[in-house]
Amino acid sequence: MGINGNGDTSVTAPPTFMERVELATRWRRNRLLRPAKWLAYETGRTRLVPPPDRLYIESTNICNLSCIMCPTGRKEQLRKKGYMDFELFKSIVDQMAPWVQATTLHIWGEPMLHPRMFDMIAYAHQRGLRSEISTNATLLNEERSRKILDAGLGAIYLCLDGMRPETYEQIRVNADYEQTNANIRRFIDLKQSGGYRDPFVNLQIIEMEKTVGEIDEFVAAWKLPGVDRINVKPFDSWAGQISDINALEGQEDPIPAKRYACPNLWYHTHIYWDGRIAMCDRDFNLAYDLGNIRSADGIVRVLENWNGPKMQELRRLHVQNDLENVTPCNTCTEWAWWKPTPFKSHGNYNATKLEGE
């Protein structure tokens, strides 16, 4: 896939031999960098940290639902609403594609609302960058499904919290269970019948008090051809900042007695729709200022910010466990979800609940 002069996705020639060689070289180099990244984290290095593994891009922070476990849905996210400019997106991808393994095209908000989402997917694919989206699937009609399949998306998380309308619609407020279910099944059918290898399809349910009694049934029901993985997503309290969300969890997960530095600051970079940098998605209102990837001269500088003075200081505070005045780190428990090894990192996910771990 590529992008034509009008900004629309269109079919282009497959990658050339030299392009395939460049991509293979890039992935090999990134694999060789893993021990260096781990060493930087393990030794508490705060500056000259190798490039991140993973890039999180917020295409938009606007959503069409009012989900009860989400700060956006609950109107607790107070940042200005908007959509990432496509030129800004391209600048980010151009800089980071040689370094990161994958990018999400969502942080907060529903990515299907971005008017150029399919162009974003196609551009990332053209630059050899695996892209992923998580969608509530309410807007995933047949036309959008076909465009996603043609654009070259690497992975998709299709979110359906519950096995019954009454469960799902209490959680995903303003959504219709039967319609979302039909959208998901049609997407899977189109992928199967069209012979598409990608995207990798994750059928997702969040583990929370309202869904826990339906999870086994959900897993059994969605073991279907075309579903590559059933993702029982651990409940995220978003650093415990909203008491009404905390109450939805049910049973809390144990955390280590001794706190270690959050790996996100050495492995992930989060960029919101307007170019501002977040420590991670739990800082949904940007309580901690890390600046903007767009400098005063208008030039986009992602890696410079990754190792800039503000990131260095935040890493130092984590290494020294001096977080009393760092919001939202001072109320967070999700830091304990994962810890990297020299050759493997699970990403921003509760690794203690991964199968086989």
Side-chain angles (χ1 to χ4, degrees):
M1 294 298 300
I3 297 177
N4 64 26
N6 297 320
D8 299 321
T9 54
S10 57
V11 177
T12 58
T16 65
F17 173 76
M18 289 307 299
E19 287 172 336
R20 292 197 301 270
V21 169
E22 191 277 333
L23 188 59
T25 302
R26 179 195 307 177
W27 280 88
R28 177 177 292 274
R29 180 194 62 200
N30 288 346
R31 284 197 298 270
L32 292 174
L33 270 175
R34 288 176 185 172
K37 293 180 182 183
W38 173 81
L39 189 63
Y41 170 75
E42 194 70 13
T43 60
R45 189 192 306 170
T46 61
R47 58 190 296 272
L48 301 178
V49 172
D53 266 0
R54 195 168 180 87
L55 172 66
Y56 290 82
I57 297 175
E58 181 182 72
S59 50
T60 181
N61 63 342
I62 299 170
C63 191
N64 59 322
L65 300 186
S66 298
C67 302
I68 62 174
M69 68 294 186
C70 176
T72 299
R74 301 184 72 100
K75 310 300 185 288
E76 299 278 357
Q77 186 206 114
L78 305 177
R79 288 185 288 122
K80 182 180 178 182
K81 304 296 185 185
Y83 302 95
M84 180 171 281
D85 177 76
F86 189 58
E87 293 305 314
L88 173 60
F89 171 80
K90 290 199 296 182
S91 294
I92 295 168
V93 169
D94 288 345
Q95 289 184 34
M96 299 305 292
W99 301 105
V100 300
Q101 298 176 5
T103 183
T104 72
L105 302 182
H106 65 275
I107 300 180
W108 295 102
E110 168 51 50
M112 287 293 96
L113 288 170
H114 196 291
R116 300 198 66 177
M117 175 48 56
F118 313 110
D119 293 338
M120 288 178 161
I121 295 169
Y123 191 78
H125 183 69
Q126 181 185 23
R127 298 289 285 117
L129 181 58
R130 175 184 169 90
S131 63
E132 304 176 1
I133 62 170
S134 177
T135 175
N136 59 42
T138 60
L139 304 175
L140 195 63
N141 59 22
E142 183 159 333
E143 179 185 4
R144 293 189 181 101
S145 293
R146 292 184 183 278
K147 286 183 176 180
I148 286 174
L149 292 167
D150 288 336
L153 185 69
I156 189 168
Y157 289 80
L158 301 167
C159 304
L160 189 70
D161 294 303
M163 278 299 294
R164 293 167 183 78
E166 55 270 26
T167 304
Y168 171 81
E169 291 169 11
Q170 285 178 17
I171 296 169
R172 299 276 177 174
V173 178
N174 298 329
D176 180 274
Y177 175 79
E178 298 299 341
Q179 184 61 61
T180 306
N181 196 307
N183 289 349
I184 290 173
R185 291 180 182 276
R186 183 57 178 153
F187 179 86
I188 294 168
D189 288 344
L190 289 170
K191 183 192 171 188
Q192 289 285 96
S193 61
Y196 294 92
R197 184 185 66 179
D198 294 321
F200 187 93
V201 174
N202 298 272
L203 222 299
Q204 181 169 289
I205 184 171
I206 298 175
E207 183 180 8
M208 54 195 297
E209 189 175 36
K210 289 183 180 295
T211 63
V212 69
E214 300 179 19
I215 287 176
D216 289 344
E217 185 181 357
F218 182 93
V219 170
W222 285 102
K223 286 182 177 178
L224 303 173
V227 175
D228 298 299
R229 181 169 180 261
I230 299 171
N231 186 44
V232 181
K233 183 182 179 182
F235 185 83
D236 198 321
S237 76
W238 310 115
Q241 298 173 85
I242 302 169
S243 58
D244 286 345
I245 290 180
N246 297 340
L248 299 171
E249 180 175 11
Q251 184 176 356
E252 294 183 7
D253 295 323
I255 60 173
K258 184 178 179 181
R259 182 159 188 164
Y260 52 81
C262 181
N264 288 334
L265 304 179
W266 281 260
Y267 281 83
H268 304 155
T269 188
H270 290 71
I271 303 171
Y272 285 162
W273 70 269
D274 53 1
R276 287 191 288 176
I277 306 163
M279 60 171 72
C280 76
D281 50 358
R282 296 174 187 93
D283 192 6
F284 48 83
N285 278 325
L286 286 170
Y288 193 93
D289 176 33
L290 285 171
N292 197 302
I293 59 167
R294 284 188 287 203
S295 304
D297 59 7
I299 297 176
V300 174
R301 294 180 170 92
V302 182
L303 287 177
E304 289 89 336
N305 279 277
W306 173 250
N307 272 310
K310 292 183 177 182
M311 276 297 292
Q312 290 180 36
E313 173 62 9
L314 181 57
R315 291 185 185 119
R316 183 191 68 80
L317 292 169
H318 270 258
V319 169
Q320 297 181 359
N321 197 15
D322 183 13
L323 300 173
E324 182 179 354
N325 297 313
V326 181
T327 302
C329 301
N330 52 7
T331 58
C332 185
T333 58
E334 281 84 14
W335 59 269
W337 273 13
W338 69 290
K339 197 173 185 182
T341 69
F343 300 102
K344 191 175 183 181
S345 65
H346 287 294
N348 191 15
Y349 194 83
N350 191 342
T352 63
K353 292 196 173 185
L354 288 174
E355 279 191 319
E357 296 299 319

